[in-house]
Amino acid sequence: MSQRIEQPPSLVQLAVNVLLRMMSLGELKPGDRVIENRLTQELGISRPPLREALRVLEQQGMITQIPRKGAIVTNLTLHDVYEIYTLRREVERIAVDLGVPVSDPVRLERVRAALLRLEEAAQAGDHVGVIEGGYEYHAAVIGLSGHRRLEDAYRSLHLQLVLCMAMNRRVREPKEDLLGDAARHRRLLEVIETGDRKAVHEAIITHGDRAFLINIENEIGGHTPESLEWLRLIREEEGLGL
Amino acid sequence: MSQRIEQPPSLVQLAVNVLLRMMSLGELKPGDRVIENRLTQELGISRPPLREALRVLEQQGMITQIPRKGAIVTNLTLHDVYEIYTLRREVERIAVDLGVPVSDPVRLERVRAALLRLEEAAQAGDHVGVIEGGYEYHAAVIGLSGHRRLEDAYRSLHLQLVLCMAMNRRVREPKEDLLGDAARHRRLLEVIETGDRKAVHEAIITHGDRAFLINIENEIGGHTPESLEWLRLIREEEGLGL
DNA sequence: AGCTGGGGTCTTGTCTACAGAAGACAAAAG
DNA sequence: CTTTTGTCTTCTGTAGACAAGACCCCAGCT
């Protein structure tokens, strides 16, 4: 019997999770001030664990602390979005180079399990489940590389992106077809199983969730030469039906 | 006059800096237990700010926390070293792709300034200065990309590497010639100024500080297929006089 | 009317204190 | 002599309280 008893997680960890959830639900929006006393009341914890949680989120880039002035939910600029997208794509690329063809079947099994969860959620019409399953699926793909830091980087970028997408209404009205989404993920898995690295790269490129970028430069500020040039390229590719 | 008033940094920030310094000096070695009360006495601060500092370092991968059991300085395995090295090289590669040829002269100026500091330290025989200057130089090179997250990633990887190198005696007996080191950095800058991306990539590869990997697999554990294969490749390249 | 200075309030930064869990050690039993 | 159990110490997790700093509003002055 390997029935281990469950340890109650620390309040810091719980607070981090709750705050992340609040952000993804839009209860905490970018730019919102984060007042410690208010949150301690809402969460029912005292300030020290909350402050530690805020430090964690600050390191992840979700919270921006200004000394003696307080914390706000990080306001992403267009340049930030550019950074997140470009880095995430590079992370995927590196992971595929390292992880395909797959050496350890256990890692593939993780992708398969995530895909199953994703497909079940899609059939049940469970939007939240599809989003979470989608993350777990992609994380598992990164995990094929056996590179923990790479996966951590992916997670961090993903979380920041969640923050950004929560800003955008288009994403919160999810009328894209869940089943088609799941089918795309299944095809990617099949390509991975062939072990053809180049094919996997191509499959991932056409897999992009860049729809919400369409009008983004009118919604947020912080344009830079790099980010505008990047956006122009994206537009071109999308225009070509990619 | 842009004489801004100096704000006293928070105790958390100070504690992070002191702890990093202790690690690089070997006063805190990988595997060491970190007992909060002891450190609060040494640093002259109370536990809450120290705990927040530990959270920050945990996020950076320098500290490993085990719930209800305390914290230790992260013990790096061979696989970790493999991860750090491979990722750092990828970060450099991405930065060069994005940042060369240089679009913004201000960024190049930063590299030049770092090089000057490095050369001064080299001529003064200031080992610590050379190491710190070397970091600032490389960070500035990453900064050519105008990609803050990329630079953050580089910093994080660098810090973890410091942890690893502090373990290794070879690095603490610095008899390598500082002036030659500075000259190599100057050559890299010259290549960057030509704007020839490919040449920069080659220059960076031959720039490696991989000397301390020579005997590493006998000194630390945590071997994995990936890390051993990687080490084998490194050996081959080094053997070829690279 | 606009600017400057002061008081009040709110918020953060830090410290001390307490409760509960983990580990160490010693004593007793097999 | 080994093993086990009970107690004791140490350390972490959390709470609450206090002090210092930042913001805001209003009165008074130019």
Side-chain angles (χ1 to χ4, degrees):
Chain A
M1 258 313 246
S2 65
Q3 268 289 45
R4 305 189 57 153
I5 69 169
E6 177 125 353
Q7 295 280 24
S10 76
L11 293 191
V12 178
Q13 190 55 50
L14 291 174
V16 168
N17 293 341
V18 170
L19 289 172
L20 286 176
R21 182 166 225 89
M22 288 173 75
M23 290 179 190
S24 72
L25 293 177
E27 295 175 31
L28 277 178
K29 287 187 291 294
D32 282 1
R33 278 199 67 185
V34 177
I35 284 134
E36 297 177 2
N37 267 329
R38 205 158 304 168
L39 272 180
T40 57
Q41 289 185 347
E42 284 185 41
L43 305 186
I45 61 176
S46 67
R47 283 179 59 214
L50 175 66
R51 283 176 61 88
E52 289 182 37
L54 290 178
R55 286 279 176 199
V56 171
L57 293 175
E58 184 192 21
Q59 292 296 310
Q60 299 282 327
M62 319 283 294
I63 292 282
T64 304
Q65 302 234 32
I66 304 161
R68 279 175 286 282
K69 295 189 65 175
I72 62 170
V73 180
T74 300
N75 247 323
L76 293 177
T77 64
L78 181 62
H79 188 74
D80 288 313
V81 176
Y82 150 76
E83 288 193 4
I84 296 167
Y85 261 87
T86 52
L87 254 194
R88 196 182 60 157
R89 179 152 167 190
E90 291 291 341
V91 166
E92 284 181 333
R93 197 195 53 70
I94 297 168
V96 170
D97 277 347
L98 288 172
V100 177
V102 182
S103 58
D104 183 350
V106 173
R107 294 179 189 161
L108 245 190
E109 199 45 55
R110 184 177 158 210
V111 183
R112 284 207 195 90
L115 178 60
L116 284 183
R117 279 211 350 231
L118 178 62
E119 289 179 331
E120 280 171 21
Q123 283 200 314
D126 172 7
H127 288 280
V128 176
V130 167
I131 290 178
E132 290 180 358
Y135 165 69
E136 171 56 21
Y137 175 90
H138 281 280
V141 170
I142 305 298
L144 291 175
S145 62
H147 208 301
R148 192 181 61 78
R149 282 166 178 80
L150 207 52
E151 206 180 313
D152 289 347
Y154 184 83
R155 173 184 160 78
S156 175
L157 294 170
H158 174 82
L159 287 177
Q160 293 178 68
L161 216 46
V162 165
L163 194 62
C164 175
M165 300 203 314
M167 277 166 45
N168 196 300
R169 282 179 214 95
R170 216 183 326 283
V171 184
R172 266 181 286 174
E173 297 161 1
K175 46 167 98 89
E176 354 91 36
D177 75 310
L178 302 180
L179 291 170
D181 201 47
R184 283 216 325 276
H185 284 84
R186 173 163 289 283
R187 273 200 298 280
L188 177 56
L189 174 56
E190 283 163 6
V191 177
I192 289 171
E193 283 171 331
T194 67
D196 182 345
R197 194 176 293 166
K198 192 149 165 290
V200 174
H201 279 138
E202 284 165 10
I204 284 187
I205 288 175
T206 65
H207 191 277
D209 49 352
R210 308 189 288 197
F212 89 106
L213 294 177
I214 295 175
N215 220 20
I216 196 168
E217 88 269 38
N218 299 323
E219 301 185 22
I220 64 179
H223 305 185
T224 59
E226 285 97 350
S227 57
L228 288 172
E229 170 67 9
W230 163 75
L231 204 55
R232 201 182 59 73
L233 280 173
I234 295 271
R235 294 271 154 71
E236 256 177 38
E237 291 181 15
E238 293 286 333
L240 293 173
L242 246 168
Chain B
M1 261 303 254
S2 65
Q3 269 285 47
R4 303 191 56 154
I5 287 194
E6 178 119 359
Q7 296 278 24
S10 76
L11 294 190
V12 178
Q13 191 54 51
L14 291 174
V16 167
N17 292 341
V18 171
L19 289 172
L20 286 176
R21 182 164 224 91
M22 289 174 74
M23 290 181 190
S24 73
L25 293 177
E27 294 175 32
L28 278 177
K29 287 187 292 296
D32 283 1
R33 278 198 68 186
V34 177
I35 284 134
E36 297 177 2
N37 265 328
R38 203 158 306 167
L39 272 181
T40 56
Q41 289 185 346
E42 285 186 40
L43 304 187
I45 62 175
S46 68
R47 284 180 57 215
L50 175 64
R51 283 177 62 88
E52 288 182 37
L54 290 178
R55 287 278 175 202
V56 170
L57 293 175
E58 184 191 22
Q59 292 295 309
Q60 300 280 329
M62 320 282 293
I63 291 283
T64 304
Q65 302 234 31
I66 304 162
R68 279 174 287 280
K69 295 188 65 176
I72 61 171
V73 181
T74 301
N75 248 322
L76 293 176
T77 64
L78 181 63
H79 187 75
D80 287 313
V81 176
Y82 150 76
E83 287 193 4
I84 295 167
Y85 261 87
T86 52
L87 254 193
R88 196 181 58 156
R89 178 151 166 191
E90 292 289 343
V91 167
E92 285 181 332
R93 198 194 53 70
I94 296 168
V96 170
D97 278 347
L98 289 171
V100 176
V102 181
S103 58
D104 183 351
V106 174
R107 294 178 189 162
L108 245 189
E109 201 44 55
R110 184 175 159 213
V111 182
R112 285 206 195 90
L115 178 60
L116 283 183
R117 278 209 352 227
L118 179 62
E119 289 178 331
E120 280 171 20
Q123 283 200 313
D126 173 7
H127 289 279
V128 175
V130 168
I131 292 179
E132 290 181 357
Y135 165 69
E136 171 57 21
Y137 175 90
H138 281 280
V141 170
I142 305 298
L144 292 176
S145 63
H147 208 301
R148 193 182 59 81
R149 282 165 179 81
L150 206 53
E151 205 180 314
D152 289 347
Y154 184 82
R155 173 184 159 80
S156 175
L157 293 170
H158 174 81
L159 288 176
Q160 293 178 66
L161 216 47
V162 166
L163 194 61
C164 177
M165 302 204 314
M167 278 166 44
N168 196 301
R169 281 178 218 97
R170 217 181 326 282
V171 184
R172 266 181 288 173
E173 298 163 1
K175 47 167 98 89
E176 353 92 35
D177 75 312
L178 302 180
L179 290 171
D181 201 47
R184 284 216 325 278
H185 284 83
R186 175 163 285 282
R187 273 201 298 280
L188 176 57
L189 174 56
E190 283 163 5
V191 177
I192 289 172
E193 284 173 329
T194 68
D196 182 345
R197 195 176 292 165
K198 193 150 164 288
V200 173
H201 279 137
E202 284 165 10
I204 285 187
I205 289 176
T206 64
H207 193 277
D209 50 352
R210 309 189 289 200
F212 88 106
L213 294 175
I214 295 175
N215 219 20
I216 196 169
E217 89 268 38
N218 300 323
E219 301 184 21
I220 64 178
H223 305 184
T224 58
E226 284 97 351
S227 57
L228 288 172
E229 171 67 9
W230 163 74
L231 204 54
R232 202 181 58 72
L233 279 173
I234 295 272
R235 295 270 154 70
E236 258 178 36
E237 291 181 15
E238 292 286 332
L240 292 174
L242 245 168

